[in-house]
Amino acid sequence: MTIPARFTEPADTTVEAPPKAKRKAAVRREVGRSIPRLESHAKVDGSAEYIYHLRLPGMLQGKICRSTVPHGRIVRIDASAALAIEGVHAVITGEDIRTLIPDPYYGPAFHDQPILAIGKVRYVGEPVAVVLAADLHVAEEAADQVVVEYEPLEPVFDEVAATKPGAPIIHDSLRPAGMFPDLQYLKGRSGTNVALDARVLHGDVEKGFAEADQVFENVFRSRKVVHATFEPTVSLAELNGSNGLTIHTSSQSPSYVRAEVSRLLGWPENRVRVRTAFLGGSFGAKLYIKLEALVAACALLVRKPVRIGLTMEEEFYTITKHGATVRIKTGMAKDGRIVAREVETWWNGGAYADIGPRVSQKSGFTAAGPYDIENVSLINYAVYTNDPPAGALRGFGISQIVWAYECQNDIIARSLGIDPLEFRRRNILHDGRPHATGTIMTNAEIDEVLDRLSDRMHWDVLFDHGSGPVRRGRGLAIGFKACIAPTTSVAVVNVYGDGSCCVSCSTVDMGQGSDTAMAQIAAETLGISTETVRVIHPDTDVTPYDMATLGSRSTYHMGNAVRLAAEDARAQLLRIAAATLQTDIEELEYRDGAVISRSGARMTMRGLMLARFGMQAGTVIGMGTFTPPYTKPDPRTGQSPQITPYWMLAGAAAEIEVDTETGRIRVTKLVNVGDVGCAINPAIAKRQLNGAGTMQLGFTLFEEMRFNEGQVINASLADYKIPGMLDVPEDLSAELVEFPHEHGPFGAKGVGETGMFSVSPAIANALCDAIGVRIMELPLTPERVLRAIRESENRPLESE
Amino acid sequence: MTIPARFTEPADTTVEAPPKAKRKAAVRREVGRSIPRLESHAKVDGSAEYIYHLRLPGMLQGKICRSTVPHGRIVRIDASAALAIEGVHAVITGEDIRTLIPDPYYGPAFHDQPILAIGKVRYVGEPVAVVLAADLHVAEEAADQVVVEYEPLEPVFDEVAATKPGAPIIHDSLRPAGMFPDLQYLKGRSGTNVALDARVLHGDVEKGFAEADQVFENVFRSRKVVHATFEPTVSLAELNGSNGLTIHTSSQSPSYVRAEVSRLLGWPENRVRVRTAFLGGSFGAKLYIKLEALVAACALLVRKPVRIGLTMEEEFYTITKHGATVRIKTGMAKDGRIVAREVETWWNGGAYADIGPRVSQKSGFTAAGPYDIENVSLINYAVYTNDPPAGALRGFGISQIVWAYECQNDIIARSLGIDPLEFRRRNILHDGRPHATGTIMTNAEIDEVLDRLSDRMHWDVLFDHGSGPVRRGRGLAIGFKACIAPTTSVAVVNVYGDGSCCVSCSTVDMGQGSDTAMAQIAAETLGISTETVRVIHPDTDVTPYDMATLGSRSTYHMGNAVRLAAEDARAQLLRIAAATLQTDIEELEYRDGAVISRSGARMTMRGLMLARFGMQAGTVIGMGTFTPPYTKPDPRTGQSPQITPYWMLAGAAAEIEVDTETGRIRVTKLVNVGDVGCAINPAIAKRQLNGAGTMQLGFTLFEEMRFNEGQVINASLADYKIPGMLDVPEDLSAELVEFPHEHGPFGAKGVGETGMFSVSPAIANALCDAIGVRIMELPLTPERVLRAIRESENRPLESE
């Protein structure tokens, strides 16, 4: 659907973009300051609040009993031994939950996931029962004593195999979530593991290939990885009065949790209160429903507060990043221009859809890359398998896609003898040109990103590839992402009786610095110091709606809402001043947290509040609502004139050393360049790029969930390695490209995911540059590199 | 100061009052419904939240060491024995607090009360030190071991004696609170125990007395009583991040607590968060600062959460109702009309002013009664003594004043041979006539109150006074009160994504039913069912400012703010409908929670939200701010054209039996009639009248704090009797007079205190009617009645 334009703030959506040269930032005091995060001190002294630490009086701890088979029917659950253990309060099963919630299936895209398994399990680790006890150790001991008997069913793990005829079917039929009209056509579809088959058609791809001078086709794969947040997932639920429920949860999406738990219970939203605190990292792991429905149901069943906090091992069984198989076929013209591209992607969504279909759809429509290609066909399959569910992970599928197209672009460039950077310059999608989705590209500084990469890498200078067993290489890659649409953010800025103020919004600060950014935006608008602004954390009873903290949308969406709310508060303060000074509002100017009249009279915010309320009293409540315009894609072509509020553009370049005797890659230099529009806080924005770059470095070099018949065999941080300080490149840097986005708050765009996009292909391209081998599958483990070297030398590894 | 009219919603203040006949209520669905209180179920099943039950992880419990002398210098505090007890974390003294807060004196009217005594103590029970321990029993044991040595000073307890030359001076000099400009002239005044000497002069009282045909002069006294709430006073403080503080407190005034604690700490308000829950009764006891500054200081000193909850005994040492001595002199004309009245009142404020000076001033200016008197002089002394502090108690001093003037009116009527009811009718202050303060009386249905009393009591029917040892009598009284001014209330009505909604305000539901009233007002305005509205409890971070829940102001002030907020939300929903239906807003009507167009299209609140935000998303935030107009009194005359937003009028009548052999009074019938404007919830309003009537019955018949050299000798509910079921009159009833107030929300005025005013004189007048004796001092204990009987018979009690 199209959101009527009148609902959107005119200042944000209807202003014509001025020429770039004019879109330089005005003089600002707070926006653009690289101040430390507001909560830095509290995080160091231990006073910062995390839900994992929360204990409620009288609460029970829950321990989840999990499926031991990847696919099977539940024949029997015997909790008698568990219940016999002293201190065990209850053992809850899916059938118990059904007494409270007749249809206990949840999910943001499909209502496919039971709160606890009912009748069937679909992956190893699926929650089957919960043991509740006041003492967590008792609950853990008892959980081991719950006996579940399964009748095994044939599993399927590979995302391509799962789409083939004859593959075991994991869900009887599809149940799209009611909130998405565009998915309703799938309702009741059966006999398939493909939850969504999303296509974008642009031009005539067959004709393009026919006219191409050369066609390249490759398949790229990436494996499942996990978010590995330091604070594990945790939720607590308690009764709130006689007919309400409060959920304390480590969630990126409190507003969604409220709506979904309300829907499950059949309650209006105002009876469910969801509050969050700081998150100890999330990266997409703590989105939508994770433990919230389960603790809510348990608390209502036993009429006591219930807490469930996962162990790190359980995180591996809760949500993962999609493994993906990408077949990419590209038609080239002699002049090095891409004339046709077809990308077919199989997304391994695991046993439950979570937001996977949206991942496949929304990252899928960018699968041709930020390139100007006349003929494009993009096909994305969101596939059910018997792996743990896959959902959002920083980048929302983009890094799997960029991995494919930027590796292939390098293959093509090398094959055609074109410098990889020049190859990309030649094909870039410039502002004003239509993207494959039909949306015109705007505010996309990809040229500048390439220029900065070139500068930083001294691309024009001859590069020493080394000799001997350790070889050196360099590579680069670019990528882009659309921001999620359509979504809304609402913010409130309260000015208190003494003129101090707060920002009240439902954006979750999970380490990305959103509190600080929102405070800077409010402070800039109100002309006060950022450090004096207080940011109130999400509590759905009182902080207004926000779609969720995801997809790098907060700075743009909530930032705009906060800016509008602060402007509203400022306008109210001006009206108070006009009334108090008995003057026209036009005679007044708001400057540096005060109103100044032409006659020189000055009223501070405190003074204005005193004037308005006659004492230190009252609240001036500024409100801001931001919903950028969006047009629903044509279901036949997947095209839309306005598919995203903005594009995130980024590039990465790497210099590496490869030990050809061990296969080990050492990244010596990593540069991440991101088009951020305007950095509200440059230091934080750079840390986002470097943090994302380092995270993707782990996914590139060694992170990989390893499975044995659906069982994760490295489900611990001892066996699943994430980057440590020694893995960080000596020369790690980030660079911000800042051309203010015409509709961003002070020109800002999101940056949380930007640094993820291009790291993997940059390193793989550098590997090829160093030793001439091309690896098509992530991660680039020493074993895989060594195998590729041996294969290239026609002497395979002994193990094979 | 005068609040400029433009700051106030025009609908509330500028509309001319229509003739009374037209001011009948419109057809309403929610307002006027006698639904049970929304939290009834939660209170019965135990799920309602009270702060007294709150425990914070890692918290310390505090036990207060209290002064054992009524007036003295602190020579030495020796905490060594206490600190030697295992488990004692710290002993905090006033000097420790000074290291954190250099000037740790607080108070709503005067900054006279130290958080812990510094140098001096001024009453028995004054907090001198606090012992902190994880275990409350350890803290209690240790508190007994803290040795404090005092150098005694001469005390003074009587409020009249304390004003005489040569009386011991309790405070060196006066320190009026900065927030009240009108008190600043007192700053630094020394050598007096009179904190405030408030006068109202109207006409020429000397001339009035000179022209009177007869002059009556009497002195009436009432003794100190206590609030006796079921939930004792409790506060907890914890650090909030590295530079903030959260206070959970049983308080009627969260907004004030935030402002005052911020002032003490020298912090902006946005660093202090104050939240409250249901109160288990309060009646004025939990206003302003009680334990909040103490727990805040302790938590900051020890960097841990600190809880202090009082015992019932400690309540007697924390806040009380003023004892008062009232000298009332009335000049009468032959025709039974009052021509002059002089009232001089000494208010026993105890050792610290708390809100006492405002009690003396604001109830004091009504001391001539709701009568039309040409010449009036009202003098009120707020007096420091060495009793525990006195503050607000349901009625804010009015019952002490009505006690005097309504007893005297009866004396005069009897003396002049005029029926008491007729006497009052003859002197009533009718609408349109100026009150002693100069404010014109409006919306005051005192005639109607008298008519209803007359009807209910069958006043015209001959009354059987009985014979033998048990005699019967009947009496009545009327009284009135001004509502506090100037004050502000702010409310928010949030409409959530599914169309459900909440009212967010800082009014504290302490049993009076404010949650239900606010929900009814919002529901009426939005055309939905009250039971679907959720009311969010005060949390100063997010619920907007309210002056406090006191003085029967919530229904009028916050009720108006909620109505305005709901109207604002409704207007926004209408605009959404107009945009969605592409029609003019004038074509639309809001009815029954939906928008209906002339063409018959109907959009529910849920549908409107979906239309606006494109999915179940967003928040429509309605705001309302209400500050009724007020004009500061002339400091010379105490007169003001607008001293109160409205008057509360009430009358009570009683039938009693007196056992002349024991002196025991049994109230057999008690009627309370209150002018409530419009009852938002008639059942609750009636319960307010009956509850207040029963409370005042206790104060009338037996409640009295008894002292021995400043020590309360009946500080327990075993020794200090409050009314039980057997004390409730068999025939207890309340009647509501409902002429909608022109500016009240749906015509409503406050009612929380109304039932207190007239009960004591009605009973005393009935006593005189029964046996011809007149008692001038409350309570009317059997001993006092018997003594009066014996004195009237010239045979004093043996004990004398």
Side-chain angles (χ1 to χ4, degrees), chain B residues 680-694:
Chain B
I680 302 295
N681 183 313
I684 295 179
K686 284 186 182 176
R687 276 202 295 273
Q688 281 289 321
L689 289 176
N690 282 331
T694 307

Side-chain angles (χ1 to χ4, degrees), chain A residues 201-205 208-209 328-333 336-343 366-378 405-406 408-409 412 423 426-430 433-438 480 639:
Chain A
L201 301 173
H202 178 62
D204 183 337
V205 78
F209 283 124
I328 179 165
K329 181 177 166 189
T330 301
M332 296 300 303
R337 291 192 56 258
I338 308 171
V339 294
R341 181 164 268 177
E342 182 178 88
V343 188
T366 70
Y371 300 109
D372 197 338
I373 309 173
E374 291 280 347
N375 307 292
V376 176
S377 167
L378 309 173
Y405 66 67
E406 284 298 87
Q408 198 197 39
N409 284 346
I412 298 169
F423 178 87
R426 213 172 280 182
N427 285 287
I428 277 177
L429 184 66
H430 291 284
R433 291 282 303 159
H435 174 256
T437 55
F480 80 136
Q639 290 193 308

Side-chain angles (χ1 to χ4, degrees), chain A residues 376-443:
Chain A
V376 176
S377 167
L378 309 173
I379 311 166
N380 288 275
Y381 308 106
V383 184
Y384 284 121
T385 68
N386 292 110
D387 278 350
L393 192 153
R394 202 176 193 173
F396 211 68
I398 291 296
S399 61
Q400 294 98 312
I401 287 293
V402 180
W403 164 242
Y405 66 67
E406 284 298 87
C407 280
Q408 198 197 39
N409 284 346
D410 231 57
I411 291 170
I412 298 169
R414 284 173 189 277
S415 165
L416 301 182
I418 305 174
D419 175 81
L421 195 145
E422 170 55 25
F423 178 87
R424 288 169 175 87
R425 281 217 174 96
R426 213 172 280 182
N427 285 287
I428 277 177
L429 184 66
H430 291 284
D431 268 26
R433 291 282 303 159
H435 174 256
T437 55
T439 297
I440 303 296
M441 184 62 56
T442 59
N443 291 280

